[in-house]
Amino acid sequence: MQTNDYALGHTQEELERLVQQGRFFGEMTEHMLLKAGLAPGMRVLDVGCGAGDVSFLAAKLVGPQGAVIGVDKAPEAIGYAQGRAQAAGLQNVRFIAADLAHFQLDGEPVDALIGRLVLMYFPDPAAVLRRLLTFVKPGGIVAFQELDTPVTPPPAVMCDPFCDTYVAAATRITQTLTRLGVDTRCGAKLRRIFEQAGLPGAQTIATLRYENGPDSAIYAWIEQLTRTLLPLMQQVGVATADEVQVDTLVERMRQEAVEKGCTLVTPPMVAAWARKTQGSEA
């Protein structure tokens, strides 16, 4: 099974950005986990856990009688997540550094397999999911959440009225990720990915954030993602640093959105969930 490296890296700045992004999308992900059926006492495997935010959401839902195992390829991310868990005094979550292509789960199969913004980085996400299903007990939950952001045209994001600075920034992000081989339409393909992995009949839902006003977190989310991707934007020919002007991006977005009275809409976060049946991982 072929795997891709995480395109945005694992610097301290990127790990801190992931924490902020986790807070920005946290309610959407918690909604998915509840809809999928996470409940107290469950044992959960969170793949591509990064800085640990989805693992922490799951740990809250399964409670002290449950357990969460977070897995990520990057030792830097795992060390950071472990430090956060210790600082929060969480006893029901642990983290493992392992490549998903070779990861082996110790102990009994889990009650739930979850992930956010992880399948989009694999050239064959159905093969990844099919392998991971071997760690899930029959009847167990499988739930993933991925972005659905089209490459322009049309615009990568919605807004009303049109906010040039926001649309331009979001478009650069999407174009950069696409040129790096990341599937920014993965969310739209989730049901098919589940079917190809042996999980027919998945339920799906899309959630978005509608943001406006001077205090919205959307400006910082776009700026932080742009800052992380800027060297790669230049490398793949999307934009130069002079064109991006990242140091003033937040204020320019905010000023235009407030002056025009814009509502800025995030790309859809698409969630899919299903129950594993006997033979699903065959």
Side-chain angles (χ1 to χ4, degrees):
M1 180 179 67
Q2 183 182 2
T3 62
N4 277 356
D5 289 332
Y6 178 60
L8 282 69
H10 299 92
T11 64
Q12 181 68 23
E13 291 78 10
E14 170 58 10
L15 293 171
E16 292 172 359
R17 186 198 70 80
L18 287 174
V19 173
Q20 297 300 318
Q21 178 172 271
R23 292 170 181 160
F24 189 61
F25 288 123
E27 290 183 6
M28 297 182 186
T29 303
E30 185 170 0
H31 180 69
M32 171 194 75
L33 297 177
L34 288 169
K35 292 282 286 184
L38 255 69
M42 285 186 171
R43 186 164 176 255
V44 180
L45 177 62
D46 173 24
V47 294
C49 66
D53 291 275
V54 176
S55 298
F56 299 145
L57 284 174
K60 181 179 75 170
L61 296 178
V62 302
Q65 288 74 39
V68 179
I69 305 161
V71 180
D72 198 279
K73 183 178 181 179
E76 304 94 330
I78 291 301
Y80 189 76
Q82 287 174 334
R84 295 179 69 201
Q86 291 170 359
L90 292 175
Q91 302 296 317
N92 63 341
V93 58
R94 64 186 177 98
F95 296 96
I96 300 171
D99 189 329
L100 293 182
H102 310 293
F103 171 67
Q104 294 295 328
L105 180 67
D106 295 331
E108 294 296 317
V110 297
D111 300 295
L113 167 69
I114 63 174
R116 179 177 69 190
L117 302 179
V118 56
L119 295 177
M120 63 192 292
Y121 292 99
F122 288 90
D124 189 349
V128 176
L129 186 54
R130 193 179 307 115
R131 180 177 186 276
L132 294 172
L133 283 178
T134 62
F135 307 132
V136 183
K137 71 179 186 181
I141 294 164
V142 181
F144 282 80
Q145 191 173 44
E146 302 285 340
L147 280 173
D148 179 20
T149 311
V151 181
T152 56
V157 288
M158 298 186 295
C159 51
D160 185 53
F162 197 85
C163 183
D164 297 86
T165 312
Y166 173 60
V167 171
T171 299
R172 287 191 292 260
I173 290 167
T174 303
Q175 289 176 337
T176 301
L177 291 172
T178 300
R179 293 185 190 185
L180 291 169
V182 180
D183 186 0
T184 62
R185 299 301 313 273
C186 187
K189 303 170 185 175
L190 266 181
R191 185 181 175 92
R192 184 164 72 250
I193 291 168
F194 271 48
E195 289 175 350
Q196 292 170 348
L199 290 167
Q203 298 185 65
T204 57
I205 190 171
T207 50
L208 310 91
R209 287 191 61 151
Y210 280 69
E211 298 289 318
N212 50 56
D215 300 322
S216 171
I218 198 168
Y219 311 119
W221 175 59
I222 290 288
E223 182 268 337
Q224 291 164 3
L225 191 48
T226 298
R227 191 177 294 277
T228 297
L229 281 171
L230 184 55
L232 295 170
M233 282 185 188
Q234 297 175 87
Q235 180 182 317
V236 299
V238 168
T240 67
D242 287 341
E243 290 169 330
V244 173
Q245 299 180 52
V246 68
D247 290 336
T248 62
L249 182 56
V250 164
E251 287 309 316
R252 288 186 288 114
M253 274 192 294
R254 178 185 289 116
Q255 181 177 351
E256 182 181 359
V258 171
E259 287 181 354
K260 291 182 176 179
C262 298
T263 294
L264 310 180
V265 187
T266 63
M269 288 281 280
V270 183
W273 63 93
R275 293 273 181 175
K276 176 183 172 180
T277 57
Q278 289 284 359
S280 292
E281 75 277 11

